[in-house]
Amino acid sequence: MRLFLVPISTRRTLLYCQKLRALPSDKQPWVDKITLRAARLWAGWEQKESGWQRAVVKYGNRALRRIPYEEWGLKSVPTLGARRRQEDIMGKEKHHLIFPPSVIPASRAPQVLQTLATERQALHRSRMIWCIIGIPISAPFALVPIVPNLPFFYLAYRLWSHYRALAGGKHLQWLLSNQFFTLHPSDTLDTIYPRHLPSSSLPEQEPNHSKSEASHQSESGQAPPAQERLLLTQDGGRKLARALQVPELEPELERAIWQVENAIRKQSQVSQTEKK
């Protein structure tokens, strides 16, 4: 499989996993089979011109777009079953870590991947617990005969989503701890990003500083962290997906860029308010 590290801003990087070969349907895990069936059902509802299915799809897509892009990235990594583990040990499947060397130096690429694999583990575990608590509470809504039990299905989907993100992160940690991957700096990715980026533009891939930390740095005389800047636009994301010949990467980039743009805009508004 191919693991792409695509910097979105000077502090955030999108992870995407492209599986080069799919398992036969009879050997796919049951989770993957259910996921494929649900995707086909959702695609069928999207073809509806009216009705409650169309309304569910409309508002459901809005909710899906707000799921953090980091979670989508981890979900793209397949789960580490006994069969995959054995193939990794025997070297049957090759894994390539692909990144733009002008933005992420080769020496830092494994560190960025490690951070993406581990930084949200606690969050996914806590959200899974809340989903498990909420599912029995939402179950009685099934007694309403007009529409399906949407709260139940949403919580069940979020439970599965957090589980898949955790499983993807564990797979990445397995690859990193055993060094079952090779570094592949990509000249194709480099052509999309502005040339000669200053060193301050390198993605830090660290948690954002809180307001208290920022004020403490200011009082102690330390220089505040550099302002976050967007490195990839929507047009650049489309060009990148086409250049890599990975069409399924385009919607992932569109979602990630939209989320990061909104986050930077809110940060700018907060900083301007504090200055006033």
Side-chain angles (χ1 to χ4, degrees):
M1 62 186 181
R2 300 201 296 173
L3 297 165
F4 293 95
L5 295 179
V6 185
I8 305 298
S9 75
T10 51
R11 295 183 186 174
R12 311 179 204 226
T13 299
L14 170 70
L15 165 71
Y16 181 74
C17 175
Q18 182 191 30
K19 295 173 278 292
L20 298 178
R21 61 185 183 89
L23 292 174
S25 58
D26 59 330
K27 295 184 179 180
Q28 288 181 349
W30 64 269
V31 174
D32 291 347
K33 292 180 180 179
I34 294 175
T35 303
L36 183 59
R37 185 171 181 178
R40 289 173 178 170
L41 177 63
W42 192 261
W45 285 9
E46 287 182 324
Q47 302 302 318
K48 301 284 186 180
E49 296 183 0
S50 60
W52 63 265
Q53 295 101 327
R54 183 62 186 175
V56 169
V57 167
K58 176 182 177 182
Y59 293 105
N61 283 336
R62 291 182 183 177
L64 293 175
R65 197 182 191 206
R66 295 183 180 277
I67 294 176
Y69 69 90
E70 299 96 333
E71 185 175 326
W72 286 101
L74 290 174
K75 287 195 299 182
S76 70
V77 181
T79 55
L80 181 62
R83 185 173 181 272
R84 278 202 175 91
R85 189 186 297 266
Q86 189 64 27
E87 288 182 350
D88 287 341
I89 294 174
M90 298 178 65
K92 288 185 177 181
E93 186 173 0
K94 304 298 181 182
H95 307 298
H96 309 287
L97 183 59
I98 303 169
F99 54 94
S102 67
V103 187
I104 302 177
S107 59
R108 286 194 56 199
Q111 176 190 344
V112 173
L113 184 63
Q114 175 73 24
T115 302
L116 292 171
T118 58
E119 67 180 350
R120 296 173 61 86
Q121 284 186 339
L123 183 144
H124 290 306
R125 288 196 184 96
S126 64
R127 296 289 171 82
M128 281 181 65
I129 293 172
W130 282 111
C131 289
I132 292 171
I133 294 172
I135 285 175
I137 298 173
S138 64
F141 285 98
L143 299 175
V144 180
I146 302 175
V147 294
N149 189 349
L150 297 180
F152 173 86
F153 287 115
Y154 176 76
L155 289 173
Y157 171 78
R158 295 300 288 131
L159 174 63
W160 168 84
S161 184
H162 289 300
Y163 161 75
R164 283 289 288 108
L166 272 174
K170 289 179 180 178
H171 192 172
L172 292 177
Q173 291 179 70
W174 159 260
L175 296 178
L176 285 163
S177 62
N178 293 280
Q179 297 185 347
F180 288 148
F181 64 90
T182 55
L183 298 178
H184 279 263
S186 171
D187 293 334
T188 302
L189 281 172
D190 259 357
T191 60
I192 305 299
Y193 289 93
R195 296 300 183 93
H196 310 298
L197 287 168
S199 58
S200 60
S201 294
L202 298 178
E204 300 171 3
Q205 209 53 50
E206 297 175 353
N208 291 332
H209 295 282
S210 64
K211 293 181 182 179
S212 60
E213 288 175 331
S215 61
H216 174 72
Q217 286 179 335
S218 177
E219 292 172 2
S220 62
Q222 297 179 9
Q227 179 119 10
E228 183 176 7
R229 293 194 301 106
L230 199 68
L231 296 179
L232 196 63
T233 63
Q234 293 291 359
D235 183 58
R238 288 187 289 270
K239 291 179 180 178
L240 189 150
R242 287 196 294 267
L244 293 173
Q245 297 181 349
V246 186
E248 59 271 24
L249 179 58
E250 185 172 334
E252 304 296 329
L253 284 168
E254 188 276 333
R255 183 193 301 114
I257 294 169
W258 176 77
Q259 291 181 5
V260 173
E261 280 179 330
N262 288 338
I264 293 176
R265 188 180 302 112
K266 290 179 181 178
Q267 290 174 2
S268 178
Q269 291 172 352
V270 169
S271 62
Q272 290 177 1
T273 303
E274 290 177 347
K275 288 179 181 179
K276 293 179 181 179

